[in-house]
Amino acid sequence: MKKAATFFSDSAREFKNVRTITACGLFAALAFILGSFSIQLGDYIKIGFSGLPNEVVDFLFGPAVGCVFSGMMDILKLIVHPTGAWIPGLTLNSFLAGLVYGCFFYKRPVRLWRILTAKLIVALAINVGLGTLWLSQVYGNGFFVMAPARFVKNMVMWPVNSLLLYLTLKVLETAGVFRLIRSFGPQKKKA
């Protein structure tokens, strides 16, 4: 339990660093750009890659920053590019996805199995489970009417999104981008 508290407090301390806020701003801009390439299939199925910058933020800064960033991005995307009414449950889903990804990725090496596991949890529990619940309440369709299409979409996109995130993180890591982002900010004084 103490280890988990330290893990979250380390992530929360990231908010104090200007580099965190700056990097989040840059990743938010990238998310808006990627969001313009989304494909809407009907009222409740959307395929896009604007969540990729959110997951990079979760990797870099952990669950505390990831939760806040993902929740705020959900609201900002709705303000900038409204696609319907605001559904608080979907903002909660974004928040929870940031929590899951932050817990799996923060201060851990990039591993495909870790990404596949986190993506599967988010796809099944948050997107299919909770997401379908919120959408069924808004659109008035039955949960079990909407769930099969959302399940198929999430299971088809699960390996694609996992591989895309893995490759993105590996390329950024190999190029030294993460090391560069982490090196900015207050430097520890040598005694």
Side-chain angles (χ1 to χ4, degrees):
M1 190 68 170
K2 186 176 181 183
K3 207 174 199 181
T6 304
F7 186 72
F8 279 92
S9 66
D10 287 350
S11 177
R13 271 195 293 280
E14 296 279 0
F15 280 116
K16 293 181 179 181
N17 200 325
V18 173
R19 74 171 158 79
T20 302
I21 307 304
T22 305
C24 286
L26 293 172
F27 284 115
L30 183 58
F32 280 112
I33 292 168
L34 290 174
S36 65
F37 298 107
S38 297
I39 301 167
Q40 188 76 31
L41 303 172
D43 288 336
Y44 50 85
I45 296 180
K46 181 178 171 183
I47 297 174
F49 301 102
S50 65
L52 194 60
N54 293 20
E55 295 153 7
V56 174
V57 167
D58 301 332
F59 174 80
L60 283 170
F61 307 118
V65 175
C67 289
V68 173
F69 182 79
S70 296
M72 288 180 62
M73 284 304 298
D74 184 71
I75 295 169
L76 287 173
K77 286 178 188 176
L78 184 65
I79 292 169
V80 172
H81 185 71
T83 56
W86 177 58
I87 303 170
L90 295 180
T91 301
L92 175 65
N93 284 7
S94 296
F95 185 87
L96 292 173
L99 177 68
V100 170
Y101 292 139
C103 289
F104 271 84
F105 304 154
Y106 186 52
K107 292 187 176 182
R108 293 192 167 93
V110 178
R111 299 284 185 263
L112 184 58
W113 68 266
R114 184 175 287 124
I115 293 170
L116 284 166
T117 304
K119 287 274 190 190
L120 184 62
I121 290 168
V122 169
L124 292 177
I126 297 173
N127 295 344
V128 175
L130 287 174
T132 305
L133 175 67
W134 309 134
L135 291 173
S136 68
Q137 292 175 352
V138 170
Y139 289 109
N141 295 338
F143 178 89
F144 293 106
V145 171
M146 296 172 68
R150 291 181 53 79
F151 176 79
V152 168
K153 179 255 181 185
N154 276 276
M155 289 301 95
V156 167
M157 293 304 294
W158 167 54
V160 173
N161 288 336
S162 297
L163 186 59
L164 185 63
L165 178 60
Y166 175 75
L167 292 173
T168 301
L169 292 176
K170 283 308 258 185
V171 166
L172 293 174
E173 182 179 59
T174 303
V177 173
F178 295 146
R179 189 174 53 252
L180 182 65
I181 290 172
R182 289 181 178 129
S183 69
F184 286 112
Q187 302 297 321
K188 294 180 181 175
K189 295 180 183 178
K190 294 179 182 178

